Amino acid sequence: MELVVTDLAVARGGVPVLEGVSFTVAGGEALVLRGPNGIGKTTLLRTVAGLQPPLAGRVGLDREAMAYAGHSDGIKATLSVRENLTFWADVFATDRVPAALAAFELEGLADRHAGNLSAGQKRRLGLARMVVTGRPVWVLDEPTVSLDVDAVAMFAGAVRAHLAGGGMALLATHIELGLEEARVLNLAPFRARAPEPDDFDGAFL
Amino acid sequence: MIALLIRDMKLGTRAGGGFGLGLAFFLIVVVLVPFGVGPETGRLALIAPGILWLGALLACLLSLDRIFALDWEDGSLDLLATSPLPMEAAVSVKALAHWLTTGLPLVLAAPVLGVLLSLPAAGYAPLILSLALGTPALSVIGTFGAALTVGLKRGGLLLSLLVLPLYVPTLIFGAEMARRGAEGMGNTTPMLMLAGITCGTIALLPFASAAVLRVNLR
């Protein structure tokens, strides 16, 4: 199984931001997307995850293969850590809650209300959800925000375990993850050019 | 689907979930009416079915903006959209959870509040039946409105403006059924119309809500 993205063009708010993006992620491989703020990393990841349609090009795998984690963790403050994960385990029909709790060292917090967690602990809970989904492709947008050094290592370990099982990961990040084996794709060359105004009226649109 | 229903019920009934707010609002509206129109039993009995229906409708409206707004804010809506659950199913379950936490308590509380408005004895069964038939439509239509306004700042007021006109047919036939029952007349026709509206909205609107939600998530 591999994720093949061919000639993808994506738009945010109707404005094309990236075009001609092609890459392949084979099973057991991680790809890190880099680029300056506003280049369209989030838009690209949302398109790959199937949350918005591409302007052009195609994503080779069905959205059923993707597990997406965005900037927000989707945590319910009034549910406990375990309840949050159990809900997603039920939705994705898996039984990986203990594995997820172990991967991000959340066992000690399992019965705490998620609203009482620190920002880093919430982030760990949000990432633990990826383990719960059991899907082959992890699409992660800035996964290490508010994580400390130990937690980043924990996250790298979880990604490695996922890759070792034949999974794939697509990450957008600005910092070093400690995943030396991951390939890096710089998105700057794919920035969409503003369309040439074709006539007098076009210049005003 | 059951997992989502259980989660939404849990969230609705835990701290900050807003469970009981609609019920308390309904109670206060009904208690305030005799202060406004005077305590004569005859006059109150005349307007009781209409007031109870209007109160239930407004109480239902109160919690509509929470259906999707909270899930939108914390990102769970994106995650739900990428989950194996079809959007149509998620929307239907959310409407059902809204009805169970808001509509059903209103149906159960209505006969007690009917006493406060000296509703004639013959009117209780038709009132409960009309609310039980009509409130699911209020939740389903409200879910559609909530899907339309998800992601808008201060979308609650716009939501009310969008949804209230859509509530008109349900209100007309629901209140008519309760009124005719209270006056001892036959109420089969409004009952069938009300049941038809509810069945129609339940069958069609989840698809519209899911389509709107997909567009709003882009």
Side-chain angles (χ1 to χ4, degrees), chain A residues 46 49 51-53 63-64 66 68 72-76 78-79 83 87-88 90-92 113 129 135, chain B residues 3-4 7 10-11 14-16 70-71 73-85 214 217-218:
Chain A
R46 288 179 69 89
L51 280 168
Q52 63 177 63
R63 54 186 289 177
E64 294 288 311
M66 317 279 181
Y68 172 78
S72 346
D73 295 316
I75 292 170
K76 292 296 173 191
T78 49
L79 298 182
E83 282 172 328
F87 164 66
W88 291 111
D90 290 345
V91 167
F92 284 90
H113 278 267
R129 192 186 62 85
R135 292 226 168 140
Chain B
L4 182 60
R7 183 194 74 149
K10 261 187 204 166
L11 289 174
R14 282 192 186 171
L70 297 180
D71 278 348
E73 277 163 19
D74 64 18
S76 348
L77 206 54
D78 280 347
L79 305 181
L80 271 179
T82 52
S83 78
L85 207 58
R214 282 201 197 93
L217 280 181
R218 276 179 196 172

Side-chain angles (χ1 to χ4, degrees), chain B residues 5 31 44 59 73 94 103 130 138 155 159 169-170 177 218:
Chain B
L5 181 67
V31 169
L44 280 179
E73 277 163 19
K94 286 201 155 278
S130 70
L138 300 183
L159 171 63
T170 313
M177 178 182 166
R218 276 179 196 172

Side-chain angles (χ1 to χ4, degrees), chain B residues 111-212:
Chain B
V112 181
L113 298 179
V115 177
L116 290 179
L117 293 176
S118 54
L119 186 72
Y124 285 93
L127 174 73
I128 299 169
L129 192 58
S130 70
L131 282 172
L133 279 176
T135 44
L138 300 183
S139 287
V140 174
I141 296 171
T143 308
F144 174 61
L148 274 175
T149 54
V150 75
L152 292 179
K153 297 262 178 276
R154 315 286 307 153
L157 189 59
L158 179 63
L159 171 63
S160 314
L161 292 178
L162 285 172
V163 161
L164 279 176
L166 298 176
Y167 277 178
V168 169
T170 313
L171 176 63
I172 290 176
F173 291 112
E176 179 71 2
M177 178 182 166
R179 187 186 64 80
R180 287 193 178 202
E183 291 172 3
M185 296 191 285
N187 56 6
T188 316
T189 311
M191 183 171 78
L192 291 178
M193 292 298 286
L194 186 64
I197 291 167
T198 303
C199 292
T201 52
I202 291 175
L204 296 175
L205 273 182
F207 295 97
S209 312
V212 162

Side-chain angles (χ1 to χ4, degrees), chain A residues 10 12 17-18 33 36-45 187:
Chain A
V10 298
R12 185 180 54 229
V17 286
L18 288 170
L33 302 176
N37 290 142
I39 187 84
K41 295 187 291 294
T42 297
T43 315
L44 180 64
L45 291 179
L187 288 175

Side-chain angles (χ1 to χ4, degrees), chain B residues 15-162:
Chain B
F19 177 75
L21 278 184
L23 203 56
F25 179 81
F26 189 32
L27 174 73
I28 286 177
V29 167
V30 171
V31 169
L32 286 183
V33 167
F35 294 126
V37 301
E40 295 105 82
T41 324
R43 195 190 291 165
L44 280 179
L46 202 62
I47 59 170
I51 295 294
L52 286 169
W53 249 94
L54 207 53
L57 186 147
L58 293 175
C60 218
L61 196 65
L62 270 187
S63 50
L64 284 182
D65 61 334
R66 306 178 63 92
I67 296 180
F68 293 120
L70 297 180
D71 278 348
W72 161 270
E73 277 163 19
D74 64 18
S76 348
L77 206 54
D78 280 347
L79 305 181
L80 271 179
T82 52
S83 78
L85 207 58
M87 202 55 130
E88 286 79 6
V91 168
S92 311
V93 167
K94 286 201 155 278
L96 177 62
H98 179 261
W99 183 71
L100 288 174
T101 49
T102 310
L104 192 58
L106 295 179
V107 176
L108 298 177
V112 181
L113 298 179
V115 177
L116 290 179
L117 293 176
S118 54
L119 186 72
Y124 285 93
L127 174 73
I128 299 169
L129 192 58
S130 70
L131 282 172
L133 279 176
T135 44
L138 300 183
S139 287
V140 174
I141 296 171
T143 308
F144 174 61
L148 274 175
T149 54
V150 75
L152 292 179
K153 297 262 178 276
R154 315 286 307 153
L157 189 59
L158 179 63
L159 171 63
S160 314
L161 292 178
L162 285 172

